[in-house]
Amino acid sequence: MLRKLVEDITEAVAAFERIPRVENTPFSILLLVSTAAASFSPSVYIAAAFFALGLLFAAAAREVKPWALVAFFSLFFSGLVSLPAALGLLPNKTDPLLFVARTVSAASVATGGLLLTGWWGFVRSLRLRGDLRRMFELMPLSVMAIGQAAVVIAAAKEARGEDKRAVAAAIGDVLIYGIQRGVSLRMAYEARSA
């Protein structure tokens, strides 16, 4: 199950590499503003409108499946995080439904917009400079490399018949690999641009 989860996340990130259908600064700024506004939606209905906007972006990009994966994972994890509030273990000031709606709508609009612009089109249109630009450009590559490493490690542990705790211990291996991979990517990028 862990392997399938990581494969799905890696597939969704790979969709950001596709050729952009829209690449301009006003759209990228609209995307940033919409994501921030969805994160602070005052009601569930406004959050639902942002969710629909994200779906519209994904449909325009013809990439509804990766959008749906991200929306599902954001729903699952935000629901898991808000479970104590839903069970009454937190003060009444918290509204778990609004928290989940904000999280899912922000993920929806950000993912739909990025599928429409493509990751590199988004970064280029914001005209970022220096280290910040390099960091943003390398992010999808890092996520995909770490995801592929996690799939390999989880498959090896499952093949050896190790229990669930051993699979959870693979997270440490993946983090170490991710740090090493990030250093290697940065060094290669700096060598290429120097």
Side-chain angles (χ1 to χ4, degrees), residues 38-114:
S39 299
F40 296 100
S41 299
S43 73
V44 174
Y45 301 112
I46 294 174
F50 281 112
F51 179 83
L53 180 64
L55 176 58
L56 183 69
F57 288 160
R62 297 186 186 108
E63 295 286 353
V64 175
K65 184 181 177 192
W67 172 86
L69 284 170
V70 173
F72 171 75
F73 288 132
S74 65
L75 175 66
F76 176 76
F77 288 115
S78 62
L80 194 65
V81 167
S82 65
L83 193 59
L87 295 174
L89 301 174
L90 296 177
N92 289 337
K93 294 179 183 177
T94 57
D95 182 1
L97 181 61
L98 183 59
F99 169 75
V100 170
R102 285 174 173 171
T103 304
V104 174
S105 66
S108 167
V109 77
T111 302
L114 286 172

Side-chain angles (χ1 to χ4, degrees), residues 15-29:
F16 293 145
E17 289 190 307
R18 306 227 168 68
I19 296 171
R21 298 186 188 285
V22 174
E23 185 180 331
N24 59 46
T25 302
F27 182 80
S28 295
I29 291 171

Side-chain angles (χ1 to χ4, degrees), residues 4 6-16 18 65-66 69:
K4 178 68 174 145
V6 173
E7 286 173 349
D8 287 345
I9 291 172
T10 305
E11 178 186 327
V13 171
F16 293 145
R18 306 227 168 68
K65 184 181 177 192
L69 284 170

Side-chain angles (χ1 to χ4, degrees), residues 155-166:
K157 290 192 179 288
E158 286 175 9
R160 288 193 299 259
E162 296 182 21
D163 65 355
K164 301 279 187 216
R165 283 175 273 153

Side-chain angles (χ1 to χ4, degrees), residues 121-184:
F122 175 73
V123 172
R124 275 192 307 267
S125 68
L126 290 179
R127 293 173 175 60
L128 300 174
R129 301 278 181 239
D131 288 340
L132 188 61
R133 180 178 177 144
R134 281 190 287 252
M135 180 184 71
F136 275 107
E137 285 178 340
L138 293 175
M139 196 162 70
L141 298 172
S142 298
V143 170
M144 288 187 296
I146 290 170
Q148 291 166 351
V151 168
V152 169
I153 291 169
K157 290 192 179 288
E158 286 175 9
R160 288 193 299 259
E162 296 182 21
D163 65 355
K164 301 279 187 216
R165 283 175 273 153
V167 173
I171 294 171
D173 298 337
V174 171
L175 289 175
I176 291 169
Y177 173 79
I179 291 168
Q180 292 170 341
R181 178 75 177 163
V183 169
S184 299

